[in-house]
Amino acid sequence: MTTTVAFIGLGHMGGPMAANLVSAGYRVLGHDLVESCLSAAVAAGVEAARSAVEAAAVADVVITMLPAGRHVLSLYGPEGLLAAARPGTLFVDCSTIDVADSRAAHAAAEAAGHRSLDAPVSGGVVGAEAGTLTFMAGGEESAFAQAEPLLAVMGKKAVHCGDAGAGQAAKICNNMILGVSMIAVSEAFVLAESLGLADQALYDVASAASGQCWALTVNCPVPGPVPASPANRDYRPGFAAPLMAKDLQLAANALRAGGIDAELGLRAAELYARFAEGPGADQDFSGIVRAIRAATSNPTDTQKGSTT
Ligand code: NAD
């Protein structure tokens, strides 16, 4: 019997993910508040549902791909998807949301007699279109096993990270490493430039030494050393700065909730929030190197706060 999937949230990520499920032979009932998102999905073979609740009522699996935790919790909530679905329906939330919101969503789904998995992704729109996303999943082993065939259609790798919320935890911890390391690599290039050291020379040394990391060797923030990095195309994303700012904010929420003394993670969240609200609004997150360079080239900026 064909598995019926309700897919709620057919935006940049959800649209192509739902289309890949259709191509693999699943019956997909989709819903989005934005008409153009829904009609693009319908063109790819998704059946339009009049509401998210209508789709969930007949589904074996409900997948959500929404902007934030409040969207997931309000859709799950009273008179929502959990009440409409048949008992034992599998709920898979692929959105990137707060760990606390994710755990609340799991608890609500289980209290309503359903199965639940958090399964945020990395790989961006390109990965969603190509079906090469990486899923980081949290929830019971049996829920992960049931979701695996669908995740295998939409992605190239799925890692079961642990209990409820573990997928979200893995996502924000990884992206906190990435955000902090991109700032560190960018600051190092700006320092090198001020010391008269060529970008390529720093790259040649650091990429073969202990400074080696993804932010340097794959997404290098200066043009030249890594031809495929966004720096070579005027910082067009790639991984957009506002998404990095969002993920670091989620990490900062969890750091504060846990009382963790993580000065760099919290500072990275501040720096990316400022960058994403300003010049980085439509840039790759590696464009932060230009903000660092711009602030550095103006001595009055660098001396702010100095009394001497
Ligand atoms: P998006 O804004 O393009 O899509 C979200 C969709 O949800 C929108 O089309 C919106 O209309 C819809 N929506 C909101 N509330 C709804 C409701 N009540 N009912 C039905 N539809 C509703 O966002 P996106 O880029 O697709 O990202 C989705 C999630 O994936 C986010 O949590 C994001 O952080 C995460 N993510 C995005 C990327 C990326 O590169 N875009 C990468 C990794 C993870």
Side-chain angles (χ1 to χ4, degrees):
M1 205 180 74
T2 310
T3 300
T4 299
V5 179
F7 207 116
I8 317 301
L10 299 165
H12 291 98
M13 298 292 289
M17 290 164 73
N20 283 333
L21 290 174
V22 171
S23 301
Y26 288 96
R27 179 179 181 225
V28 182
L29 291 171
H31 184 67
D32 197 290
L33 300 176
V34 175
E35 186 51 42
S36 58
C37 293
L38 188 56
S39 52
V42 167
V46 171
E47 295 174 43
R50 276 193 300 268
S51 69
V53 163
E54 182 188 89
V58 296
D60 304 300
V61 181
V62 177
I63 301 179
T64 41
M65 193 50 165
L66 298 162
R70 66 180 184 282
H71 303 93
V72 177
L73 289 173
S74 79
L75 266 173
Y76 275 25
E79 313 288 308
L81 304 184
L82 300 179
R86 295 179 299 218
T89 299
L90 174 65
F91 279 76
V92 181
D93 180 35
C94 294
S95 328
T96 303
I97 68 174
D98 252 315
V99 176
D101 286 345
S102 180
R103 290 184 175 148
H106 273 273
E110 279 158 22
H114 302 303
R115 327 186 75 194
S116 175
L117 200 71
D118 56 294
V121 305
S122 74
V125 176
V126 171
E129 287 170 347
T132 56
L133 295 168
T134 296
F135 289 89
M136 296 145 256
E140 286 182 4
E141 183 67 53
S142 61
F144 179 68
Q146 191 185 343
E148 253 187 324
L150 291 113
L151 304 183
V153 167
M154 298 183 286
K156 66 173 179 350
K157 190 175 168 84
V159 181
H160 186 217
C161 301
D163 293 337
Q168 302 292 349
K171 166 110 188 168
I172 60 171
C173 290
N174 179 72
N175 281 11
M176 189 173 84
I177 296 172
L178 179 59
V180 169
S181 60
M182 181 55 81
I183 292 169
V185 169
S186 298
E187 288 180 350
F189 273 112
V190 175
L191 174 61
E193 290 160 12
S194 83
L195 295 172
L197 178 65
D199 289 345
Q200 186 68 50
L202 173 59
Y203 180 85
D204 289 345
V205 172
S207 64
S210 43
Q212 191 275 344
C213 60
W214 192 93
L216 176 71
T217 58
V218 178
N219 218 81
C220 187
V222 296
V226 179
S229 80
N232 298 284
R233 47 173 201 267
D234 202 25
Y235 298 92
R236 268 185 291 112
F239 183 40
L243 288 170
M244 174 53 89
K246 174 193 167 175
D247 292 354
L248 287 171
Q249 186 55 54
L250 296 178
N253 295 346
L255 288 168
R256 290 195 186 96
I260 296 161
D261 183 22
E263 289 185 30
L264 295 186
L266 293 172
R267 185 81 179 116
E270 283 171 22
L271 292 175
Y272 268 107
R274 196 195 311 156
F275 180 57
E277 281 161 16
D282 55 3
Q283 287 181 24
D284 185 77
F285 79 118
S286 59
I288 202 160
V289 72
R290 297 204 284 202
I292 296 166
R293 200 184 281 123
T296 305
S297 63
N298 181 349
T300 55
D301 275 344
T302 55
Q303 286 169 13
K304 263 179 204 159
S306 165
T307 52
T308 55

